Amino acid sequence: MYNNNIVIAIDGHSSCGKSTFAKQIALKLGYIYIDSGAMYRAITLACIQQNLIANGKVNLEQLPNLLQHTEVSFISKTDSTGWITLLNGADVEEEIRTLKVSENVSLVAAIPMVREKMVEQQQQMGKNKGIVMDGRDIGTVVFPNAELKIFMTAQPEIRAQRRLKEMEDKGQKVSFHEVLANILERDRIDQSREASPLRQAPDAIILDNSNLTVSQQMEWVMELIETKLKEIRKG
């Protein structure tokens, strides 16, 4: 059915379920899901392995050489339930989830040369199509020529309620008002930041999932993808 590979770029506000949505689409289509967060974690792990992080700072003199010789990629798990992150061909899926990496990833991800390198690798992955990626600037910066762009959103109160449930399920005690305030602040920062701010690409299709179940969203997007593929086949 899906004999034409395309690039699917999904952008949108925080707590809209973008990653879950993107992963399900990739599994359904047999596409690769590019986890940008995992990529930054892998680079952080490489920095730790090469002792480039000390006292809350990254060695910017040695970093360019590391980036030049570092490649992050993904392969699907044998049971097709997800993806494994590879650092120069080695499985680092468990290592990148450690506390030490978590404590340093924001530091590394904020460095412009790191972001440029990751975008370059992401675009390289997209050359053969057949990928799904979500984020804040995928359809505007990383894959501006993606065949299908989706902009996900939902009412702030509903996003806050979803996030609150996730946190409560993990045993975290916070109030709805605290979560809502955080959601609104993240929206403000995402939309006003200088580098690659969150904005809807002109050719993106809006998906407001405020009142949609995951299955309803999947039904909607699969119809959208089939329509797009038919258009491509017709040339």
Side-chain angles (χ1 to χ4, degrees), residues 88-135:
N88 291 333
D91 179 353
V92 293
E93 187 60 37
E94 290 189 15
E95 290 178 89
I96 64 173
R97 310 296 174 184
T98 61
L99 181 59
K100 192 166 185 178
V101 170
S102 296
E103 289 174 340
N104 289 283
V105 65
S106 294
L107 178 69
V108 175
I111 301 171
M113 74 174 86
V114 173
R115 300 196 71 84
E116 290 171 11
K117 183 66 175 181
M118 291 300 92
V119 169
E120 179 186 309
Q121 290 194 13
Q122 290 157 5
Q123 291 173 334
Q124 188 64 34
M125 289 182 209
K127 282 192 173 181
N128 294 323
K129 311 288 187 178
I131 63 165
V132 184
M133 187 173 179
D134 68 280

Side-chain angles (χ1 to χ4, degrees), residues 114-162:
V114 173
R115 300 196 71 84
E116 290 171 11
K117 183 66 175 181
M118 291 300 92
V119 169
E120 179 186 309
Q121 290 194 13
Q122 290 157 5
Q123 291 173 334
Q124 188 64 34
M125 289 182 209
K127 282 192 173 181
N128 294 323
K129 311 288 187 178
I131 63 165
V132 184
M133 187 173 179
D134 68 280
R136 301 290 192 277
D137 61 351
I138 312 307
T140 55
V141 176
V142 184
F143 293 117
N145 297 317
E147 287 84 357
L148 179 58
K149 299 178 187 178
I150 297 170
F151 189 87
M152 291 181 68
T153 188
Q155 296 168 16
E157 293 77 11
I158 290 178
R159 288 188 280 139
Q161 193 63 53
R162 291 171 180 168

Side-chain angles (χ1 to χ4, degrees), residues 2 24 35 41 45 52 55 107 138 151 179 210 220 223 227:
Y2 302 103
Q24 289 199 12
D35 186 340
R41 283 177 171 271
L45 176 64
L52 297 193
N55 301 317
L107 178 69
I138 312 307
F151 189 87
V179 177
S210 296
W220 174 85
E223 289 182 4
T227 299

